[in-house]
Amino acid sequence: DFFSKDSALELLSPHIPESKITDVQEEAKKLIGKNYYRSLAALVPRLPKDLIQDAIMEILSAAKEIAGELPDHFVSALCKLKKHLNQDQIRVALRIAESLDEGHRTGAWAAIVPYVPTHTLRELYNSALTFNEAEFRAKALCSISPYLPEEERTDALIGAYKAAIELEHLNSRISVLHKISSHVEESRLAADIS
């Protein structure tokens, strides 16, 4: 079935001989159809340099059509592709992410946020502020904050903190507060939120 083929290819990709990578890439497309993009993303770092950009465009094209059906696969693919995306591809990935629920959108953003230009980070920051779910709002703000200019970084972390204290589930609150604490000195956060 699709999921076992997809998972097997993803797990085996680091062990495929270099001389067979492009053959495996073509076979993956035949076996899995449009749902192959997570597996193909696992192969991208091993493809010859002249094939990487075409493969990424093919992955993003497939993702546009089915990311909503398999959002975990889209986030997983972005994690594998992030170092290979150019600015146009980052914009495409962000547009695809906008079609996802807040949780998966947060995961997609976290995967590529280090490569997003500052003006786009501000757009993500403003979008994160509108999230309905406090947990995802807090996680999105935490993932964006290290890459924002200092003043906005502080605002993002304060927003993440405010969202965290809204969380009813203790484990979620602890998880988010832990993420916040990794981005700021305790004394500074205490001064900024008081």
Side-chain angles (χ1 to χ4, degrees), residues 35-90:
N35 298 332
Y36 70 91
Y37 67 89
R38 181 179 69 169
S39 298
L40 185 53
L43 294 174
V44 163
R46 304 209 44 230
L47 289 173
K49 290 201 184 293
D50 60 321
L51 298 179
I52 289 176
Q53 291 305 309
D54 287 342
I56 290 172
M57 291 310 293
E58 201 169 335
I59 291 165
L60 292 175
S61 178
K64 280 182 198 176
E65 294 181 36
I66 63 167
E69 297 169 37
L70 299 167
D72 289 333
H73 287 211
F74 178 65
V75 173
S76 175
L78 281 183
C79 288
K80 293 170 182 66
L81 296 175
K82 62 187 173 188
K83 294 180 181 176
H84 303 282
L85 298 173
N86 63 37
Q87 289 303 306
D88 289 336
Q89 293 162 340
I90 287 173

Side-chain angles (χ1 to χ4, degrees), residues 24-141:
V24 171
Q25 173 193 12
E26 291 306 315
E27 285 303 311
K29 292 177 198 177
K30 292 176 196 171
L31 291 173
I32 304 169
K34 290 192 187 222
N35 298 332
Y36 70 91
Y37 67 89
R38 181 179 69 169
S39 298
L40 185 53
L43 294 174
V44 163
R46 304 209 44 230
L47 289 173
K49 290 201 184 293
D50 60 321
L51 298 179
I52 289 176
Q53 291 305 309
D54 287 342
I56 290 172
M57 291 310 293
E58 201 169 335
I59 291 165
L60 292 175
S61 178
K64 280 182 198 176
E65 294 181 36
I66 63 167
E69 297 169 37
L70 299 167
D72 289 333
H73 287 211
F74 178 65
V75 173
S76 175
L78 281 183
C79 288
K80 293 170 182 66
L81 296 175
K82 62 187 173 188
K83 294 180 181 176
H84 303 282
L85 298 173
N86 63 37
Q87 289 303 306
D88 289 336
Q89 293 162 340
I90 287 173
R91 281 191 289 278
V92 170
L94 289 171
R95 279 196 302 274
I96 294 168
E98 283 302 311
S99 70
L100 305 177
D101 61 79
E102 292 175 355
H104 289 99
R105 191 177 327 154
T106 299
W109 289 359
I112 61 174
V113 74
Y115 308 97
V116 173
T118 303
H119 70 278
T120 305
L121 286 172
R122 288 184 177 111
E123 293 171 16
L124 297 182
Y125 169 73
N126 289 328
S127 179
L129 291 174
T130 67
F131 282 12
N132 293 319
E133 293 288 326
E135 180 177 3
F136 301 130
R137 185 169 59 250
K139 287 179 178 179
L141 291 169

